Amino acid sequence: MTDSTQMQAASNGLILVIEDDAQIRRFLRATLNSHGYRVIEVTGGKEGLKELGLHHPDLIILDLGLPDVDGVDLTRQIREWSSTPIIIVSAREREHDKVTALDAGADDYLTKPFGTQELLARIRVAMRHAVRAIQGDDNPIFSVGSLVVDLARRQVTVDGESVHLTPIEYKLLTTLVRYAGKVVTGRQLLKEVWGPSYTNESQYLRLYMAKLRHKLEKDPTDPRYLLTEPGVGYRLAEE
């Protein structure tokens, strides 16, 4: 690695990869190094916990199918004492696996195989959220494309035109704004918007998401901002 690459790597951050598949590790190492990240690689969960405590990485990339511990259980263990962002990479495609991992504390979930640009985008989002959580986000205005949400004034505009939202619609949107770029499970949205007694009322969420899309999207059937993660939840686009 050249001196300039080392300097870039130091500025971008340290990533702990917990993955037992050698081919995936090689791909992740090459991808992350070439984009300025330093990488620590381990093949098991116990070793991963040790390296997390020793090196305090900026982000963890975690496979669910580890030889010594299930990745979801490992996520729960990490969340008992660390808020380090966790991105799950797994061949498990079942919606239940994704929801379980996210509800256990993972920040995002990528199904193998995945593309380089998608991985890098998810890493950027997770790291930005981690910085905001530590430093606090003093910017009261969220914007993406032509959508602007002014949290201080409680105003929403699209293409410069004011959009009227009901209190529930506004609360749903601002909850998504708080997690912008991250997938949020339906259960989590229901709990935060309607309360813990509504976590099984998925029809509420579908109804109000449809209402939001009709008000905010140019084409509600092909949304630009309010994206569906099938069987898992929703994601508000950040880029």
Side-chain angles (χ1 to χ4, degrees):
M1 184 182 288
T2 65
D3 290 342
S4 62
T5 303
Q6 288 176 335
M7 290 176 62
Q8 182 186 19
S11 68
N12 278 3
L14 175 66
I15 295 180
L16 171 61
V17 174
I18 308 176
E19 167 65 71
D20 65 327
D21 187 314
Q23 185 174 353
I24 297 293
R25 286 202 311 276
R26 283 195 297 271
F27 165 74
L28 290 171
R29 183 193 319 128
T31 298
L32 297 172
N33 284 163
S34 67
H35 287 84
Y37 297 98
R38 292 171 293 142
V39 179
I40 298 173
E41 302 172 38
V42 298
T43 59
K46 294 179 181 178
E47 190 179 1
L49 284 173
K50 179 180 177 181
E51 295 297 326
L52 174 60
L54 286 174
H55 298 284
H56 301 285
D58 298 289
L59 182 136
I60 300 167
I61 294 178
L62 171 63
D63 181 26
L64 291 184
L66 299 172
D68 59 344
V69 63
D70 183 77
V72 171
D73 292 334
L74 182 60
T75 298
R76 292 193 183 101
Q77 291 180 49
I78 292 171
R79 283 291 171 260
E80 290 177 359
W81 59 277
S82 173
S83 60
T84 302
I86 300 172
I87 296 180
I88 301 293
V89 292
S90 176
R92 300 180 190 176
E93 299 181 354
R94 293 189 310 165
E95 296 165 358
H96 172 75
D97 292 321
K98 297 178 182 180
V99 172
T100 301
L102 292 165
D103 282 342
D107 293 79
D108 215 330
Y109 193 112
L110 282 172
T111 303
K112 300 175 184 177
F114 48 84
T116 298
Q117 294 307 313
E118 183 178 18
L119 172 66
L120 293 171
R122 302 289 181 89
I123 289 172
R124 290 193 300 269
V125 167
M127 285 189 168
R128 280 199 296 267
H129 277 275
V131 171
R132 289 174 192 163
I134 295 171
Q135 298 179 349
D137 189 357
D138 296 326
N139 184 4
I141 297 178
F142 170 84
S143 64
V144 57
S146 62
L147 171 64
V148 178
V149 182
D150 188 328
L151 298 169
R153 298 183 179 183
R154 297 178 65 88
Q155 292 180 346
V156 179
T157 60
V158 176
D159 291 324
E161 298 291 327
S162 180
V163 179
H164 173 72
L165 299 180
T166 68
I168 288 291
E169 291 167 352
Y170 182 76
K171 188 172 183 181
L172 177 57
L173 178 60
T174 55
T175 301
L176 288 166
V177 165
R178 194 163 71 250
Y179 298 104
K182 295 175 59 176
V183 58
V184 188
T185 65
R187 184 180 180 86
Q188 183 176 353
L189 283 170
L190 285 163
K191 182 178 180 180
E192 295 199 23
V193 177
W194 283 273
S197 61
Y198 288 85
T199 53
N200 293 320
E201 305 293 340
S202 57
Q203 71 274 14
Y204 282 25
L205 186 55
R206 288 195 297 268
L207 174 63
Y208 277 90
M209 189 61 67
K211 290 182 176 182
L212 270 183
R213 283 176 171 153
H214 277 284
K215 291 184 177 182
L216 303 179
E217 302 280 5
K218 290 183 178 179
D219 181 0
T221 64
D222 185 22
R224 159 72 173 87
Y225 309 118
L226 302 167
L227 310 177
T228 299
E229 296 285 338
V232 180
Y234 297 92
R235 183 195 304 269
L236 177 62
E238 191 181 43
E239 298 180 346

